[in-house]
Amino acid sequence: MSTLAEANTAMRERVTHLERRFGRRRVYFVGIAAGVIVALLTLRSCASRHQTAAPPPPRAVAVAKVITKNVPLYLDEIGTCTAAETVQVQAQVSGQIISREFEDGADVKKGDVLFRIDPRPFQAALSSAQADAALAHATLQRQTELRSKQVVAGQDYDVATANAMKADAAVAAAQVNLDYCTIRSPIDGRTGIRNVDIGNLVGPSSPPLVMVQRLDPIYTDFTIAEPDIPLVRQHLNGPPLQVLTENENDKLPPVRGQLTFIDNAVQPGVGTVRARATTENRDRALWPAQFVRVRLILEMLKNAMLVPSNAVQVGQNGPYAFVVKPDSTLELRQLKPGQRQDADTTVILNGLKPGETVVTRGQLQLAPGMKVAAQEDKSLSTGGAQNAAAAQE
């Protein structure tokens, strides 16, 4: 209490001092002005507290239109290429290789000479057989003349006839062996690495001399999973199914072929069915035993709705996308996505309409009803879907 009284006394003394120095009216005027300033500052502070915060600016997002295209319904598998024909060229007679008429890895035609075996022993055998045949035919001629005069038994004539036939057969066999001395390509194809050189002795029991493979057309062998068999079976009664074969490491476009074989049973313990496509290979883009990506096209989906794949998000209720309405606000749509078309786009079966705008980038922290600043996504490329459709057409 004493302290408060002392403070009041000190204040009165200070006011009295100011009044004596500046005058009572001036002191009162300054005090009133200071009070008004304090009151205005207090009112301004209270007004700022009750003022609502300004809304945040629209969030920038990248968008794209829902488009329609003809795209394929397909199955993607891994396969291997197989030569349409493979022949292990074998020596049919025994002898020494005296010449080689091809280079390793050369393209050859059916009938082209590959090797030559020393023909001299077989030429001699043919000449001996021809001499025997000449003698047998001369004997048959005499027996025929004697029979016409009825001075020889019928049995002698029959023996002469049989001997002439045997001689002719011996000549034919000797000619075949002589022909086998020239080893020719049995098919059009490409040779591998030779297994023998000039001077080697070969025979029917020797290893193959060289392998020839036909590379155009070429087979693409792959498997179809058992759950996909009913879907494939639905399309087997129509036109031949198209198959696209692509080497993963090549920059060449996929090669188109046709499904030519599907097995009649599921492989035990594997759960797959073997299938084969026949593909033209004029430019040798595919090689036997090469691993390739195979796309079996079942049908074309007409006017399918497509959106960029990164527009489709997955939430607690399933796939969804943000749709930008004409007033630049967002609407969340639950989707039923279909098959992805390569890496760029996805087919939408339900939930969107052609021409609508969907958010492709910037979905983080978006919410329905939020206002956004939409900008066209320049990073998108729909070339994959176009290439697949063009390949089918």
Side-chain angles (χ1 to χ4, degrees):
M1 295 294 293
S2 60
T3 304
L4 181 60
E6 292 175 356
N8 290 334
T9 302
M11 180 62 70
R12 284 196 298 270
E13 291 177 355
R14 184 65 178 171
V15 171
T16 301
H17 176 74
L18 292 174
E19 289 178 351
R20 290 176 181 176
R21 185 176 180 181
F22 298 104
R24 177 175 295 180
R25 296 182 62 185
R26 182 175 296 180
V27 171
Y28 287 164
F29 178 78
V30 171
I32 293 171
V36 171
I37 292 173
V38 172
L40 290 175
L41 292 175
T42 302
L43 291 175
R44 182 177 180 181
S45 176
C46 294
S48 63
R49 291 179 183 177
H50 294 286
Q51 185 178 4
T52 58
R59 191 178 186 86
V61 294
V63 299
K65 294 287 187 180
V66 180
I67 61 175
T68 58
K69 284 183 179 295
N70 297 339
V71 295
L73 174 65
Y74 61 86
L75 296 176
D76 278 343
E77 305 291 348
I78 299 297
T80 56
C81 292
T82 305
E85 293 179 293
T86 300
V87 178
Q88 300 281 359
V89 179
Q90 197 85 23
Q92 299 297 308
V93 294
S94 298
Q96 185 182 47
I97 299 292
I98 61 172
S99 69
R100 173 173 58 88
E101 307 294 338
F102 71 98
E103 296 294 331
D104 294 342
D107 291 326
V108 294
K109 297 293 185 180
K110 182 178 180 180
D112 286 354
V113 177
L114 302 179
F115 296 96
R116 295 185 189 275
I117 295 176
D118 187 359
R120 292 175 296 177
F122 303 96
Q123 182 64 58
L126 175 60
S127 300
S128 176
Q130 290 173 339
D132 293 340
L135 180 58
H137 280 282
T139 302
L140 177 60
Q141 180 66 29
R142 288 193 298 269
Q143 292 294 333
T144 302
E145 294 175 356
L146 294 173
R147 184 184 182 187
S148 63
K149 299 178 181 179
Q150 297 182 353
V151 295
V152 67
Q155 184 178 1
D156 295 337
Y157 173 80
D158 294 339
V159 171
T161 302
N163 289 337
M165 295 175 62
K166 289 171 60 177
D168 291 340
V171 170
Q175 183 65 58
V176 169
N177 289 334
L178 180 62
D179 293 340
Y180 280 154
C181 291
T182 303
I183 301 175
R184 302 178 183 273
S185 174
I187 60 172
D188 294 345
R190 186 181 182 92
T191 61
I193 297 177
R194 68 188 185 278
N195 297 323
V196 296
D197 291 313
I198 298 174
N200 289 163
L201 291 174
V202 296
S205 61
S206 301
L209 308 182
V210 70
M211 182 175 64
V212 181
Q213 291 183 313
R214 184 180 180 188
L215 304 181
D216 181 28
I218 197 168
Y219 293 146
T220 303
D221 292 335
F222 59 100
T223 58
I224 301 172
E226 186 175 358
D228 295 328
I229 294 300
L231 179 61
V232 175
R233 191 185 301 120
Q234 295 175 8
H235 300 84
L236 289 179
N237 296 329
L241 299 183
Q242 301 295 303
V243 177
L244 300 180
T245 302
E246 180 181 16
N247 181 15
E248 185 175 2
N249 298 322
D250 282 349
K251 297 182 180 180
L252 300 174
V255 184
R256 181 171 57 185
Q258 291 185 348
L259 182 69
T260 53
F261 167 78
I262 184 168
D263 209 348
N264 55 4
V266 178
Q267 299 182 78
V270 181
T272 58
V273 175
R274 293 180 300 178
R276 168 173 287 180
T278 302
T279 305
E280 290 187 359
N281 193 33
R282 296 176 182 174
D283 56 356
R284 302 296 194 270
L286 304 174
W287 288 86
Q290 178 183 21
F291 284 95
V292 291
R293 292 186 295 182
V294 181
R295 173 164 293 183
L296 174 61
I297 300 177
L298 302 176
E299 65 172 317
M300 290 298 293
L301 303 176
K302 303 295 183 181
N303 297 321
M305 289 188 298
L306 296 175
V307 298
S309 298
N310 52 6
V312 181
Q313 305 292 306
V314 179
Q316 294 180 350
N317 298 324
Y320 70 91
F322 284 108
V323 178
V324 182
K325 298 193 293 187
D327 60 354
S328 297
T329 59
L330 295 178
E331 178 184 354
L332 189 146
R333 296 270 189 89
Q334 297 298 140
L335 305 179
K336 183 179 180 182
Q339 197 170 47
R340 289 186 65 141
Q341 298 295 318
D342 299 315
D344 296 356
T345 56
T346 298
V347 175
I348 300 300
L349 303 178
N350 193 10
L352 295 175
K353 296 179 181 179
E356 288 187 318
T357 303
V358 294
V359 178
T360 59
R361 288 189 293 117
Q363 293 98 329
L364 187 64
Q365 297 181 351
L366 296 183
M370 181 183 292
K371 203 172 187 63
V372 295
Q375 299 178 353
E376 184 180 357
D377 196 339
K378 301 294 186 181
S379 65
L380 298 177
S381 172
T382 56
Q386 292 176 347
N387 291 338
Q392 171 64 10
E393 294 173 357

